[in-house]
Short mmCIF file of all heavy atoms in Angstrom, two decimals:
data_model
loop_
_atom_site.label_atom_id
_atom_site.label_comp_id
_atom_site.label_asym_id
_atom_site.label_seq_id
_atom_site.Cartn_x
_atom_site.Cartn_y
_atom_site.Cartn_z
N GLY A 13 12.41 2.71 -4.50
CA GLY A 13 11.25 2.28 -5.26
C GLY A 13 10.30 1.43 -4.44
O GLY A 13 9.08 1.61 -4.49
N ARG A 14 10.86 0.50 -3.66
CA ARG A 14 10.02 -0.37 -2.81
C ARG A 14 9.35 0.44 -1.70
O ARG A 14 8.19 0.20 -1.36
CB ARG A 14 10.88 -1.47 -2.19
CG ARG A 14 11.55 -2.39 -3.18
CD ARG A 14 10.56 -3.35 -3.79
NE ARG A 14 11.21 -4.24 -4.74
CZ ARG A 14 10.61 -5.26 -5.32
NH1 ARG A 14 9.34 -5.51 -5.06
NH2 ARG A 14 11.26 -6.02 -6.18
N TRP A 15 10.09 1.36 -1.14
CA TRP A 15 9.54 2.16 -0.03
C TRP A 15 8.39 3.03 -0.50
O TRP A 15 7.43 3.26 0.24
CB TRP A 15 10.64 3.02 0.59
CG TRP A 15 10.26 3.60 1.91
CD1 TRP A 15 9.66 4.82 2.12
CD2 TRP A 15 10.42 3.00 3.19
NE1 TRP A 15 9.45 5.01 3.46
CE2 TRP A 15 9.91 3.91 4.15
CE3 TRP A 15 10.95 1.79 3.63
CZ2 TRP A 15 9.91 3.64 5.51
CZ3 TRP A 15 10.96 1.52 4.99
CH2 TRP A 15 10.44 2.43 5.91
N ASN A 16 8.48 3.52 -1.74
CA ASN A 16 7.45 4.42 -2.26
C ASN A 16 6.41 3.70 -3.10
O ASN A 16 5.56 4.35 -3.74
CB ASN A 16 8.10 5.53 -3.11
CG ASN A 16 9.00 6.43 -2.28
OD1 ASN A 16 8.68 6.76 -1.15
ND2 ASN A 16 10.12 6.83 -2.86
N ASP A 17 6.45 2.37 -3.12
CA ASP A 17 5.49 1.60 -3.91
C ASP A 17 4.08 1.83 -3.37
O ASP A 17 3.80 1.56 -2.20
CB ASP A 17 5.84 0.11 -3.85
CG ASP A 17 5.27 -0.65 -5.03
OD1 ASP A 17 4.59 -0.03 -5.86
OD2 ASP A 17 5.51 -1.88 -5.12
N PHE A 18 3.20 2.30 -4.24
CA PHE A 18 1.87 2.72 -3.78
C PHE A 18 0.73 1.92 -4.43
O PHE A 18 -0.08 1.31 -3.73
CB PHE A 18 1.69 4.21 -4.08
CG PHE A 18 0.29 4.71 -3.88
CD1 PHE A 18 -0.22 4.90 -2.61
CD2 PHE A 18 -0.53 5.00 -4.97
CE1 PHE A 18 -1.52 5.35 -2.42
CE2 PHE A 18 -1.81 5.46 -4.80
CZ PHE A 18 -2.32 5.64 -3.52
N LEU A 19 0.69 1.89 -5.75
CA LEU A 19 -0.48 1.34 -6.44
C LEU A 19 -0.51 -0.18 -6.46
O LEU A 19 -1.54 -0.79 -6.14
CB LEU A 19 -0.53 1.89 -7.87
CG LEU A 19 -1.71 1.42 -8.73
CD1 LEU A 19 -3.03 1.82 -8.08
CD2 LEU A 19 -1.60 2.00 -10.14
N TRP A 20 0.61 -0.81 -6.83
CA TRP A 20 0.62 -2.27 -7.01
C TRP A 20 0.25 -3.03 -5.73
O TRP A 20 -0.54 -3.97 -5.79
CB TRP A 20 1.97 -2.71 -7.55
CG TRP A 20 2.07 -4.19 -7.80
CD1 TRP A 20 2.84 -5.09 -7.13
CD2 TRP A 20 1.35 -4.94 -8.79
NE1 TRP A 20 2.66 -6.35 -7.63
CE2 TRP A 20 1.76 -6.29 -8.65
CE3 TRP A 20 0.42 -4.61 -9.77
CZ2 TRP A 20 1.25 -7.31 -9.46
CZ3 TRP A 20 -0.08 -5.62 -10.57
CH2 TRP A 20 0.33 -6.95 -10.41
N PRO A 21 0.78 -2.65 -4.56
CA PRO A 21 0.37 -3.36 -3.34
C PRO A 21 -1.13 -3.27 -3.08
O PRO A 21 -1.74 -4.23 -2.58
CB PRO A 21 1.17 -2.67 -2.23
CG PRO A 21 2.35 -2.11 -2.92
CD PRO A 21 1.86 -1.69 -4.27
N MET A 22 -1.75 -2.14 -3.41
CA MET A 22 -3.19 -1.99 -3.20
C MET A 22 -3.99 -2.89 -4.14
O MET A 22 -5.13 -3.27 -3.85
CB MET A 22 -3.60 -0.52 -3.39
CG MET A 22 -2.96 0.42 -2.40
SD MET A 22 -3.40 2.15 -2.67
CE MET A 22 -5.12 2.13 -2.18
N ILE A 23 -3.38 -3.27 -5.28
CA ILE A 23 -4.06 -4.13 -6.24
C ILE A 23 -4.00 -5.60 -5.82
O ILE A 23 -5.00 -6.32 -5.91
CB ILE A 23 -3.45 -3.95 -7.65
CG1 ILE A 23 -3.71 -2.53 -8.16
CG2 ILE A 23 -4.01 -4.98 -8.63
CD1 ILE A 23 -3.02 -2.22 -9.48
N VAL A 24 -2.86 -6.05 -5.33
CA VAL A 24 -2.65 -7.49 -5.10
C VAL A 24 -2.80 -7.90 -3.64
O VAL A 24 -2.86 -9.11 -3.35
CB VAL A 24 -1.26 -7.92 -5.62
CG1 VAL A 24 -1.17 -7.72 -7.12
CG2 VAL A 24 -0.15 -7.17 -4.90
N LEU A 25 -2.84 -6.95 -2.71
CA LEU A 25 -2.98 -7.30 -1.30
C LEU A 25 -4.43 -7.13 -0.87
O LEU A 25 -5.01 -6.04 -1.02
CB LEU A 25 -2.07 -6.44 -0.43
CG LEU A 25 -0.57 -6.65 -0.60
CD1 LEU A 25 0.22 -5.69 0.29
CD2 LEU A 25 -0.18 -8.09 -0.29
N ASN A 26 -5.02 -8.19 -0.37
CA ASN A 26 -6.41 -8.14 0.07
C ASN A 26 -6.56 -7.60 1.49
O ASN A 26 -7.57 -7.00 1.83
CB ASN A 26 -7.03 -9.54 0.00
CG ASN A 26 -6.93 -10.13 -1.40
OD1 ASN A 26 -7.11 -9.42 -2.39
ND2 ASN A 26 -6.62 -11.43 -1.50
N ASP A 27 -5.54 -7.82 2.31
CA ASP A 27 -5.58 -7.41 3.71
C ASP A 27 -4.87 -6.06 3.85
O ASP A 27 -3.67 -5.96 3.56
CB ASP A 27 -4.90 -8.48 4.57
CG ASP A 27 -5.05 -8.19 6.06
OD1 ASP A 27 -5.67 -7.17 6.41
OD2 ASP A 27 -4.55 -9.00 6.88
N THR A 28 -5.59 -5.05 4.29
CA THR A 28 -4.98 -3.73 4.44
C THR A 28 -3.90 -3.70 5.52
O THR A 28 -3.05 -2.81 5.52
CB THR A 28 -6.05 -2.67 4.76
OG1 THR A 28 -6.76 -3.06 5.94
CG2 THR A 28 -7.03 -2.54 3.61
N ASP A 29 -3.93 -4.66 6.45
CA ASP A 29 -2.91 -4.71 7.48
C ASP A 29 -1.54 -5.09 6.90
O ASP A 29 -0.52 -4.96 7.59
CB ASP A 29 -3.29 -5.72 8.57
CG ASP A 29 -4.42 -5.22 9.45
OD1 ASP A 29 -4.61 -3.98 9.50
OD2 ASP A 29 -5.11 -6.04 10.07
N MET A 30 -1.51 -5.58 5.65
CA MET A 30 -0.25 -5.96 5.01
C MET A 30 0.28 -4.84 4.11
O MET A 30 1.33 -4.99 3.49
CB MET A 30 -0.45 -7.23 4.18
CG MET A 30 -0.84 -8.44 4.99
SD MET A 30 -1.10 -9.90 3.95
CE MET A 30 0.55 -10.17 3.31
N TYR A 31 -0.42 -3.71 4.04
CA TYR A 31 -0.02 -2.63 3.16
C TYR A 31 1.36 -2.07 3.55
O TYR A 31 1.69 -1.99 4.74
CB TYR A 31 -1.02 -1.48 3.23
CG TYR A 31 -2.23 -1.64 2.32
CD1 TYR A 31 -2.45 -2.81 1.61
CD2 TYR A 31 -3.14 -0.60 2.18
CE1 TYR A 31 -3.56 -2.94 0.79
CE2 TYR A 31 -4.26 -0.73 1.36
CZ TYR A 31 -4.46 -1.91 0.67
OH TYR A 31 -5.55 -2.04 -0.14
N PRO A 32 2.15 -1.65 2.56
CA PRO A 32 3.35 -0.87 2.88
C PRO A 32 2.96 0.54 3.29
O PRO A 32 1.79 0.95 3.16
CB PRO A 32 4.14 -0.88 1.56
CG PRO A 32 3.09 -1.05 0.51
CD PRO A 32 2.03 -1.92 1.12
N LEU A 33 3.93 1.30 3.74
CA LEU A 33 3.64 2.61 4.32
C LEU A 33 3.02 3.57 3.31
O LEU A 33 2.07 4.29 3.63
CB LEU A 33 4.93 3.22 4.89
CG LEU A 33 4.80 4.53 5.66
CD1 LEU A 33 3.81 4.39 6.79
CD2 LEU A 33 6.16 4.96 6.19
N ALA A 34 3.52 3.58 2.07
CA ALA A 34 2.99 4.50 1.07
C ALA A 34 1.52 4.24 0.78
O ALA A 34 0.73 5.18 0.63
CB ALA A 34 3.81 4.40 -0.22
N SER A 35 1.15 2.96 0.69
CA SER A 35 -0.26 2.63 0.45
C SER A 35 -1.11 2.94 1.67
O SER A 35 -2.26 3.38 1.55
CB SER A 35 -0.39 1.14 0.10
OG SER A 35 0.35 0.83 -1.07
N ALA A 36 -0.56 2.71 2.87
CA ALA A 36 -1.32 2.96 4.09
C ALA A 36 -1.61 4.43 4.29
O ALA A 36 -2.60 4.79 4.95
CB ALA A 36 -0.55 2.42 5.30
N LEU A 37 -0.79 5.32 3.72
CA LEU A 37 -1.03 6.75 3.86
C LEU A 37 -2.33 7.17 3.17
O LEU A 37 -2.86 8.25 3.45
CB LEU A 37 0.14 7.55 3.28
CG LEU A 37 1.43 7.54 4.09
CD1 LEU A 37 2.53 8.28 3.36
CD2 LEU A 37 1.22 8.12 5.47
N SER A 38 -2.85 6.32 2.29
CA SER A 38 -4.13 6.64 1.63
C SER A 38 -5.27 6.64 2.64
O SER A 38 -6.33 7.22 2.37
CB SER A 38 -4.42 5.62 0.52
OG SER A 38 -4.57 4.31 1.05
N PHE A 39 -5.09 6.02 3.81
CA PHE A 39 -6.12 6.03 4.85
C PHE A 39 -6.36 7.45 5.38
O PHE A 39 -7.41 7.72 5.98
CB PHE A 39 -5.74 5.12 6.02
CG PHE A 39 -5.59 3.68 5.63
CD1 PHE A 39 -4.70 2.85 6.31
CD2 PHE A 39 -6.32 3.14 4.59
CE1 PHE A 39 -4.56 1.52 5.96
CE2 PHE A 39 -6.18 1.81 4.23
CZ PHE A 39 -5.30 0.99 4.92
N LEU A 40 -5.38 8.33 5.19
CA LEU A 40 -5.51 9.70 5.70
C LEU A 40 -6.41 10.55 4.81
O LEU A 40 -6.78 11.65 5.18
CB LEU A 40 -4.13 10.36 5.80
CG LEU A 40 -3.13 9.67 6.76
CD1 LEU A 40 -1.79 10.38 6.70
CD2 LEU A 40 -3.67 9.66 8.18
N ASN A 41 -6.72 10.04 3.63
CA ASN A 41 -7.57 10.77 2.69
C ASN A 41 -9.00 10.30 2.86
O ASN A 41 -9.37 9.22 2.42
CB ASN A 41 -7.09 10.52 1.26
CG ASN A 41 -7.67 11.52 0.29
OD1 ASN A 41 -8.44 12.39 0.67
ND2 ASN A 41 -7.31 11.39 -0.98
#
């Protein structure tokens, strides 16, 4: 669950450098 966490980190993290891997994959879109 933590590894695949996508939406919540994007809501509460202001710095994209702190994103988890699932959220960071959105940069490919």
Side-chain angles (χ1 to χ4, degrees):
R14 299 285 181 173
W15 194 269
N16 295 321
D17 202 359
F18 170 74
L19 181 60
W20 182 248
M22 297 178 70
I23 294 174
V24 296
L25 293 178
N26 304 320
D27 187 0
T28 57
D29 287 338
M30 297 178 65
Y31 276 7
L33 186 55
S35 300
L37 288 176
S38 63
F39 298 150
L40 299 177
N41 195 359

